[in-house]
Amino acid sequence: MGRRLPRRKKLIKTAALRARARTVTHDQTVDESIFDDVAFAKAGLELAERQAGYGAWFWSLPTNSFYMTPNACAVLGVEEGISEFDSIMAAIHEDDREEVTNKVRLHLDSRENYDLACRIRRPDGEVRWIRARGHVSTDAAGEPVMFAGSIEDTTYQVETLNELQRSEMRFRSLIDSAPFPVVITRPSDKTLRYVNQRAVELLDELGKPADTLSVPDLMADKATYEKLREQLLTKGTSDNFELALRRSDGTPLWLLIKGLIIDYEGEPCAYLILLDVTERRELEQQLRTQATSDPLTGVANRTELLSQLEFAISVSNRTDEGFALLLLDLDNFKMVNDTRGHSVGDKLLVETSNRLNSLLRTTDTVARIGGDEFAIIARHLDKTRGVTVLAQKIIDSLAAPFEIDGLTANVGCSIGIAHYPWDKGDPELLMQHADLALYRAKDEGRGCFHMFDEELSHAVHERMDLERDLRVAVETDQLFVMYQPRFDAETREPVAGEALARWKHPEKGLVSPGIFIPIAEETGLVIDLGRVVLDQVVSDIARWRELGLDVGPMSVNISPVHLAAGCVLEDVFGALKKYNVPAKCLQVEVTESTMITDEESASSQIKALADAGIHILIDDFGTGYSSLSYLHRFHAHELKIDRSFVSNVAEATSAILARQIVSIGKSLDLKIVAEGVETDAQADFMTAIGCDELQGFLLSKPIERPAFEELMRSKAERVAAVAKA
Ligand code: C2E
Ligand code: MG
Ligand code: MG
């Protein structure tokens, strides 16, 4: 059954096709066997197209017979039984028709397959998308004999694709206009695949053109970038990374980067968000600097020094390389500050830190840890030569005059040195060691340095042990009191006594007060110790009163630390009250130094004691700086001339001084006691110059209570015997 190409309204209008169609129509040589079993062919086609979801048509040119499968008719939305190729062309959407016509024509000319997508308009007006493919078969002479093809409704795929494109567009525009930089990179070759608008601006700031850039060019901090890349490749996502870059104007730029692996244009790429956190980093840095540096000089402060020490110790433990800690005290600073004013003092401190910095390496640390105290951590120095050379250099440098505001100031410094790992310990202990060495340096004279050594180390450990044991001692019964009698200078009879604390250490035996009193004062334990002594002494006085034994007044030593704590009155009156002892039975000894330090608080307490009838004795008189006005203000009743004058009376100067002290004391109506009398000559001399009482090993060493009682009892017997006679 032949079908002719459409006569009117021919949609395939090429002359060539018309000519060929004519030719084929008259060509009886065409093998028509292929149409022999049309029914079979139709059935096969229908089955195939149902399964593949498309419809087919074919047009035998020799017979001009056209057939379109029911599926193809369904795609076009037309009734089955269409018998013309033009019906297909008529269904093409009017806007696409011309283009499709051209394409089909082109394919027919070239005899190649065509494959195109276009819209159709169904009879009911519905527009749908189809994919149309076709093929022209030729005979042996190369003439077209069969034109066949398929149409497939692709509306769903096209719409899905369109939707996908639309959503990609939306995504793109979101990312494009994101207020933070986004870059997409390909981890395999580290190229930049995409940069959004903000990223372009960022790269501009960095002076790096986006189009020529690979990621390593962008990330100056390669190590961090590699870590980020590795995390992305292994986990598909990354932690927050912070990178430091530099803008083209030299200012720093801190980026916080978070990454994620996404599928970008069909391949796995890293999607990186870059946040500018420079402001936050700078604020953090500012806070860190404030917390770790000295505001005046800009060098490290104490906190930073301790953390640097901690770090230096850990490095030294790993590397076996030592470091030195130098503590440095300006020798004359206080005077400059007081006489020239604080602003000169401040400038001097700044200049000091500049001089120190100029002598040290960048790996070293300079810190200001107090008013005029500096500390240095000097790394990579050997203990003996390196450190001493450096210490001397510092001393020389600071000994040079300081020119400030047109004035010249001379200061100089002393240095104490601890060296790790020779001096083991934590930062605090190292500081203590260097501090002790500094004290030793000052003792040796200004402008010296001293290294913490074996001897100091031994002293420190011994002191630490004693401190620990003393804490136990004041709580237990290891402390007790001995009494040293005082004798009337003329009669040489015992007339009073001084209570002296003793410590019976469980292992070391008797420890001298010369050793434990300073420790007790430094640690504040002397307050507890003072209470123990007061309790013991006042309870003994009560006992002697009960026994009817006249021992005369008994003095106790009161530490300036105890007075400074402000609880002496409470403790003294508390003890007197507890044992019901009158105040006049007790005396207190205070040293000259008490009068100099914390004058107000000490003098008011001493006055209250004196007002209550307690005699005040100025101990070790002549060794301090006490003036006559002090003696008056402190309501002193007695002076105890220091042992150093007594033991040297053979020397003319000491004798003159002793004489002077006695005469001043006498003129102030004070009783005079000579301490530390060891020889008859001393006793006679002190008596001759007018001392009222003598105390010393010549007449009696400090003795325990029974011996003291025995001494006083036998004196009472002698007095009684004399009275009887
Ligand atoms: P101090 O108050 O000047 O006591 C006199 C010191 O001289 C006592 O030493 C005594 O044993 C010693 N002494 C007495 N006569 C002689 C002598 O002829 N030759 C020599 N070489 N020394 C003599 P001690 O008991 O070792 O006490 C030393 C210092 O410890 C005392 O000096 C006092 O300042 C302090 N101290 C002792 N007991 C106490 C106490 O209970 N409380 C306080 N706060 N300090 C105390
Ligand atoms: Mg004393
Ligand atoms: Mg004394």
Side-chain angles (χ1 to χ4, degrees), residues 679-693:
T679 64
D680 284 320
Q682 291 165 359
D684 292 344
F685 179 81
M686 297 314 285
T687 309
I689 63 171
C691 285
D692 301 288
E693 288 176 6

Side-chain angles (χ1 to χ4, degrees), residues 498 500 557 589 619-620 640 675:
E498 178 179 6
L500 294 161
N557 293 281
E589 296 190 16
D619 205 354
D620 307 337
K640 296 184 84 175
E675 281 192 302

Side-chain angles (χ1 to χ4, degrees), residues 302-315 323-327 365 375-377 379 420 425-431:
R302 176 180 275 272
T303 317
E304 176 63 6
L305 176 79
L306 290 177
S307 83
Q308 289 287 333
L309 266 179
E310 187 102 53
F311 181 63
I313 289 173
S314 73
V315 170
F323 67 89
L325 169 67
L326 293 86
L327 284 195
T365 305
I376 291 161
I377 302 174
R379 295 170 168 93
Y420 194 88
D426 58 13
E428 287 289 355
L429 197 66
L430 275 183
M431 291 284 281

Side-chain angles (χ1 to χ4, degrees), residues 480-482 484 498-502 511-518 521 526 529-530 533-534 537 556-560 562 589 591 619-620 640 642-643 647 675-679 682 695-702:
F480 67 101
V481 177
M482 284 180 101
Q484 187 175 31
E498 178 179 6
L500 294 161
R502 293 289 176 266
V511 182
S512 157
I515 292 174
F516 73 80
I517 294 289
E521 289 187 327
V526 78
L529 181 142
V533 170
L534 272 169
V537 171
V556 289
N557 293 281
I558 299 289
S559 161
H562 199 166
E589 296 190 16
T591 55
D619 205 354
D620 307 337
K640 296 184 84 175
D642 190 65
R643 183 152 58 89
S647 51
E675 281 192 302
V677 179
E678 289 180 341
T679 64
Q682 291 165 359
Q695 180 182 353
F697 293 173
L698 173 72
L699 299 162
S700 171
K701 287 194 166 183

Side-chain angles (χ1 to χ4, degrees), residues 467 470-471 474 479 501 513 515-534 557-565 567-568 571:
E467 184 184 322
L470 188 60
R471 287 183 193 282
V474 294
L479 293 177
I515 292 174
F516 73 80
I517 294 289
I519 298 176
E521 289 187 327
E522 272 172 46
T523 53
L525 282 170
V526 78
I527 297 168
D528 287 331
L529 181 142
R531 286 176 187 147
V532 170
V533 170
L534 272 169
N557 293 281
I558 299 289
S559 161
V561 175
H562 199 166
L563 277 163
C567 53
V568 167
D571 293 340

